[in-house]
Amino acid sequence: MAMCSTFYPRLSTHLNCKSFSLFPVKHRFLVSIKAFSSQTFAPKADDLPASIGFLGLGIMGNPMAQNLIKAGCDVTVWNRTKSKCEPLISMNAKYKSSPEEVAASCDVTFAMLADPESAADVACGKYGAAKGMGPGKDYVDVSTVDGETSKLFCEHIRATGAHFLEAPVSGSKKPAEDGQLIFLTAGDSVLYEKAAPLLDIMGKSRFYLGEVGNGAAMKLVVNMVMGSMMASFAEGLVLSEKVGLDPSVLVEVISQGAISAPMYAVKGPSMVKSSYPTAFPLKHQQKDLRLALGLAESVSQPIPIAAATNELYKVAKSHGLSDQDFSAVIEALK
């Protein structure tokens, strides 16, 4: 079977083609949505798949995999840098040397990678998970990628006889640690039902959005809004200080008004102190804005605020802030 890496260069070509639509018009208003709160469902041991694979143990993947282990799941892990697997191995996780080996040894395999290129290589590169998939096996990609990339994964995974579910998450490091993520899923409904107890261990709610690509689209829209909100908040903090106001008081005022948001309350105090402990890397926020712009282009939808915001994050990256928290975008305004 041909690997995703063979076809991956065509993704950028398609994204630059104005006539190409990742999400056909007929689906824009006809998505069947099912939403569940994990607080309502307490997974039982008998409900869980026998063996679970987890590929990618970064800021998000590590705590997600840890929560599965703490819940009593039999977890096998892989990461490009093996040292990141050691804390989970010490918690009795098993280790395999490639995504292919993990997928071959597990019933359900999750993948949490940083970008579309990494996710493509892990899903169906030379030693990718697709090589180890087959009938009766399942692949759940919780990475944030564009819709076309997700559809390409689906094509290759289903070609092996396995099931595919995209399930990007809304939430950053702390929600991942606390099992409070929001899963935006789409794909094989039978896998959605099978994976539900696992999603409920790692998250507080889950949405089933229908066809593959809808989960990716929802995640990009959510992160587009989040990035724009953060940029506007940063402008407010910088302006308040420039005119002689105390930005800490601005954070408090905002927290008591109609535009109050948990993100402002959590990030504001650190931003005032020019401290940006990484929960969601700035480079990933800019990547998601770039993908959201591609999504908008595919349906000829203007998003000028997001476009301007993307430029601000690019400036922040040029200042060496890529690995800082995305709230460090404020430095590009100073």
Side-chain angles (χ1 to χ4, degrees), residues 158-236:
R158 284 179 177 170
T160 71
H163 293 116
F164 177 82
L165 189 74
E166 63 174 357
V169 301
S170 180
S172 57
K173 182 180 178 182
K174 188 63 163 62
E177 292 172 343
D178 296 342
Q180 293 292 298
L181 296 169
I182 301 168
F183 287 92
L184 308 172
T185 76
D188 291 319
S189 59
V190 64
L191 176 51
Y192 172 72
E193 298 297 340
K194 181 178 180 180
L198 302 175
L199 301 180
D200 291 346
I201 289 169
M202 298 182 285
K204 65 179 180 180
S205 61
R206 46 186 163 87
F207 293 79
Y208 180 75
L209 303 170
E211 296 182 4
V212 171
N214 289 335
M218 183 68 81
K219 175 59 188 296
L220 293 180
V221 171
V222 168
N223 277 20
M224 177 194 76
V225 172
M226 180 175 73
S228 299
M229 287 175 62
M230 177 56 74
S232 181
F233 183 55
E235 288 183 333

Side-chain angles (χ1 to χ4, degrees), residues 31 128 150 212 227 268 272 288:
V31 178
S150 191
V212 171
V272 170
D288 292 348

